[in-house]
Amino acid sequence: RKTVAIIGSGIAGIATAIRLAAKGFRVTIFEANSSPGGKLSEFELEGYRFDAGPSLFTMPHFVEELFLIAGKNPADYIAYGKLPVICEYFYEDGTHIRAYSDPEKFAEEIEQKTGQSKKSVLSYLKQSAFKYEVTANLFLKRSLHKLSTWLNLDAIRGYWNLPKLDVFQTLNEVNERHFQDPRVVQLFNRYATYNGSNPYETPGIMHIIPHLEYNVGAFFPAKGMYNITQSLVRLAEDMGVLFCYNTRINEIVVLNNKAVGVRPNKIDGRPAPTYESFDVVVSNMDIVNTYRKLLPHVAAPTRILEQPKSSSALIFYWGITRSFFELDLHNIFFSKDYQHEFDCLFHKQTISNDPTIYINITSKYKPDDAPSGCENWFTMINVPNNSGQDWDGLIDEARRNIILKLSRILKTDISKLIACEYIQDPRTIEARTSSSQGALYGISSNNRYAAFLRHDNKSSKVKNLYFVGGSVHPGGGIPLSLLSAKIAAGMVKEPI
Ligand code: FAD
């Protein structure tokens, strides 16, 4: 059987392994950490369980597809349900909007709370669906580096509808065109952060993102987000995929312009063996570090690697000794001046003193994630990617501002409720997952050419070498990382 080495057990690495095992390859995954999942991992702290990274699960059918191609029943591996409420939005002026997953109810809630007409919200969501349908097959499900992508019916439909796709406007301009109420504009501007971008710069085509939540749905796995990783690892193992943990790969071995193996770190101080018998190598490591660290002798596509990166995150994982009836699984506490916040993030490379705060509380749906009567708060703000800022100083200041803001809006001194704490920042995200500058989603989508500036899923220089994950085409986030695996696995032919 032909063999594949996959570097990294992020969601895309595991999905690629499943797809290639289903094609008949013998697959080995090398993972630097002691457990799988990369950003999609979990940990426990003094009786509280936390999902470390992703908290919002959309497009679950991309996960289900992996079980189906393996001939398995997804329900034997993972259970998840659709959320009735997607998010609770809190504003400084006291407005509280409950984002129901039912578009009709959500639009009614917006009309009631802001006066923005129900009709305008529904037509916005309808246009979001239209734009997704016109662009998804073209930009998300195929390699952009193949001529066939640009010469088929989906492409022709895309060219025909170009004027309706708002690619020449920013997301904020699209939203201001649709809505008069600034709170509604802010709510829909937030979707730019789903790929770590700036709503005042990212193209209006990002209007497709709300479609995924309101027309398709937001979901939660019954055993927490990490169960996505666990269930896929179990499936991969059932298919014979071999996982080698605590094994950091230092080099992709290239001979005669062909990837032929991988070289791991020294093991217990002894020289590392070289695994030179692989027919295909797939890197799930961030693309910048794949070139810089694993392919020192291959000319790097500098223009692509130097594209500005997406934002990162600062997360306070707090065990909270009380429960809050007004909060749900996903909660947002908006800043007063959203534009200033993004100006700080992307132009000043710092954190505003009034950041928008996101709190994820899985114990609302999975009570055993916290002791009885308590809650596990994943309290996150968007921060710039790591360019050597004084993070310790910024974290202290942000922590103070976050506690003040939450205490004011929730009318309780939050600092007194924090029983335990763990902090993650761009430096630790980079160290744990090799993500360049700790960016959450690879390059930012702050210009309209970003889609074309993501690295392809296949090397144009080295044969039998492929790239998957959130830093390459089609982009970051669980659904797109899974699509990167689908595109890459689709390109792997019997090796030359
Ligand atoms: P990664 O998760 O980046 O993992 C890469 C793996 O490769 C790691 O395990 C790493 O150890 C391993 N590795 C790297 N280099 C080597 C090497 N040389 N040798 C061996 N192993 C190596 N997405 C969503 O869809 N919804 C969300 O709500 C969401 N929120 C997020 C919140 C946070 C705080 C973070 C950090 C991310 C969030 N994301 C979210 C983004 C999402 O987590 C990522 O896009 C996705 O998980 C990326 O997966 P990946 O396959 O690229 O691999």
Side-chain angles (χ1 to χ4, degrees):
R1 273 204 294 162
K2 303 285 184 183
T3 55
V4 182
I6 297 183
I7 303 161
S9 67
I11 187 84
I14 305 169
T16 309
I18 292 167
R19 289 185 177 277
L20 293 180
K23 275 188 165 187
F25 286 87
R26 192 147 56 81
V27 185
T28 307
I29 297 189
F30 297 95
E31 168 55 55
N33 293 329
S34 55
S35 54
K39 298 183 179 76
L40 190 45
S41 58
E42 71 169 358
F43 66 94
E44 271 201 46
L45 187 67
E46 298 180 25
Y48 295 83
R49 188 199 71 90
F50 293 95
D51 284 312
S55 53
L56 178 69
F57 184 28
T58 54
M59 313 295 268
H61 53 278
F62 291 146
V63 172
E64 290 217 346
E65 199 177 299
L66 295 167
F67 296 100
L68 299 176
I69 60 165
K72 306 280 186 188
N73 177 6
D76 291 340
Y77 289 83
I78 187 167
Y80 60 86
K82 189 171 171 182
L83 297 173
V85 172
I86 295 176
C87 190
E88 302 281 352
Y89 287 101
F90 297 88
Y91 296 79
E92 281 282 355
D93 69 357
T95 309
H96 172 191
I97 296 176
R98 176 164 294 164
Y100 293 99
S101 68
D102 173 359
E104 287 275 332
K105 252 176 117 177
F106 174 48
E108 262 162 34
E109 167 86 354
I110 288 193
E111 184 170 275
Q112 206 182 65
K113 298 287 173 68
T114 68
Q116 183 70 55
S117 76
K118 177 178 168 186
K119 202 170 133 212
S120 66
V121 177
L122 290 175
S123 95
Y124 182 85
L125 295 178
K126 213 166 146 194
Q127 287 181 35
S128 174
F130 168 77
K131 287 175 183 169
Y132 180 82
E133 273 145 29
V134 169
T135 53
N137 279 343
L138 186 56
F139 284 101
L140 304 182
K141 297 184 181 169
R142 293 198 174 101
S143 165
L144 298 185
H145 299 258
K146 280 179 155 179
L147 194 61
S148 57
T149 299
W150 304 105
L151 298 176
N152 62 48
L153 276 179
D154 290 324
I156 293 162
R157 202 168 160 228
Y159 307 141
W160 181 256
N161 285 295
L162 196 64
K164 293 186 197 154
L165 298 180
D166 291 322
V167 284
F168 299 109
Q169 286 196 305
T170 66
L171 180 63
N172 176 63
E173 284 164 351
V174 170
N175 292 341
E176 285 192 333
R177 200 179 68 212
H178 268 87
F179 304 116
Q180 296 73 47
D181 189 284
R183 290 164 296 187
V184 184
V185 172
Q186 189 171 23
L187 192 155
F188 286 109
N189 274 354
R190 180 179 162 249
Y191 286 94
T193 66
Y194 280 35
N195 61 18
S197 302
N198 178 350
Y200 303 92
E201 291 176 350
T202 199
I205 188 63
M206 293 303 158
H207 179 186
I208 63 176
I209 303 175
H211 163 69
L212 309 184
E213 271 188 10
Y214 295 100
N215 300 325
V216 183
F219 299 80
F220 184 69
K223 292 185 181 162
M225 291 295 286
Y226 187 56
N227 197 229
I228 301 173
T229 296
Q230 289 168 316
S231 63
L232 292 180
V233 168
R234 190 152 73 85
L235 171 66
E237 284 175 341
D238 287 351
M239 297 171 82
V241 173
L242 181 68
F243 287 78
C244 301
Y245 297 111
N246 299 308
T247 310
R248 180 176 294 281
I249 298 302
N250 276 350
E251 191 183 338
I252 294 171
V253 183
V254 178
L255 277 181
N256 302 323
N257 280 335
K258 233 188 234 184
V260 292
V262 293
R263 182 170 287 128
N265 238 346
K266 283 183 181 164
I267 296 173
D268 299 331
R270 282 177 285 121
T274 303
Y275 298 107
E276 289 208 9
S277 55
F278 290 102
D279 298 298
V280 173
V281 176
V282 180
S283 178
N284 178 212
M285 187 188 199
D286 179 282
I287 190 70
V288 175
N289 286 321
T290 297
Y291 275 101
R292 301 234 162 103
K293 297 188 175 161
L294 308 189
L295 292 167
H297 307 300
V298 174
T302 319
R303 183 157 172 251
I304 288 182
L305 302 190
E306 287 177 357
Q307 285 303 308
K309 302 292 173 294
S310 78
S311 54
S312 185
L314 169 59
I315 308 141
F316 298 93
Y317 305 87
W318 285 335
I320 294 281
T321 57
R322 224 200 82 176
S323 64
F324 286 78
F325 74 91
E326 62 273 56
L327 301 182
D328 201 79
L329 177 66
H330 302 289
N331 310 275
I332 284 286
F333 296 79
F334 271 128
S335 61
K336 242 187 195 153
D337 187 344
Y338 216 33
Q339 189 151 11
H340 173 71
E341 187 181 345
F342 284 95
D343 194 37
C344 288
L345 279 177
F346 287 100
H347 301 140
K348 302 190 175 115
Q349 304 293 323
T350 190
I351 305 174
S352 104
N353 55 14
D354 177 26
T356 294
I357 304 163
Y358 165 69
I359 307 182
N360 175 247
I361 313 174
T362 60
S363 59
K364 294 281 185 192
Y365 277 79
K366 189 173 172 296
D368 62 348
D369 278 355
S372 166
C374 302
E375 292 181 340
N376 61 340
W377 283 20
F378 164 112
T379 310
M380 179 184 123
I381 58 171
N382 295 312
V383 301
N385 53 55
N386 183 19
S387 53
Q389 293 91 332
D390 165 21
W391 284 110
D392 293 335
L394 286 174
I395 290 168
D396 280 350
E397 202 183 325
R399 189 179 187 280
R400 266 195 308 277
N401 289 329
I402 290 171
I403 289 178
L404 274 175
K405 187 178 174 86
L406 293 178
S407 300
R408 189 171 60 243
I409 297 177
L410 293 172
K411 300 185 176 61
T412 312
D413 183 356
I414 297 299
S415 67
K416 294 213 173 87
L417 304 176
I418 302 172
C420 53
E421 174 179 82
Y422 177 74
I423 301 174
Q424 192 160 202
D425 64 55
R427 295 167 304 183
T428 52
I429 293 171
E430 187 167 10
R432 271 212 80 244
T433 67
S434 293
S435 200
S436 174
Q437 298 180 255
L440 301 195
Y441 304 97
I443 67 172
S444 79
S445 297
N446 286 341
N447 77 59
R448 71 180 72 104
Y449 307 108
F452 305 98
L453 293 168
R454 284 185 181 273
H455 200 289
D456 193 17
N457 304 100
K458 183 176 195 264
S459 172
S460 58
K461 299 203 174 71
V462 178
K463 285 192 190 113
N464 301 338
L465 177 60
Y466 299 83
F467 308 105
V468 298
S471 67
V472 295
H473 178 70
I478 297 171
L480 298 195
S481 298
L482 290 172
L483 285 176
S484 76
K486 186 170 182 177
I487 297 169
M491 292 199 266
V492 176
K493 301 270 175 342
E494 283 299 293
I496 303 154

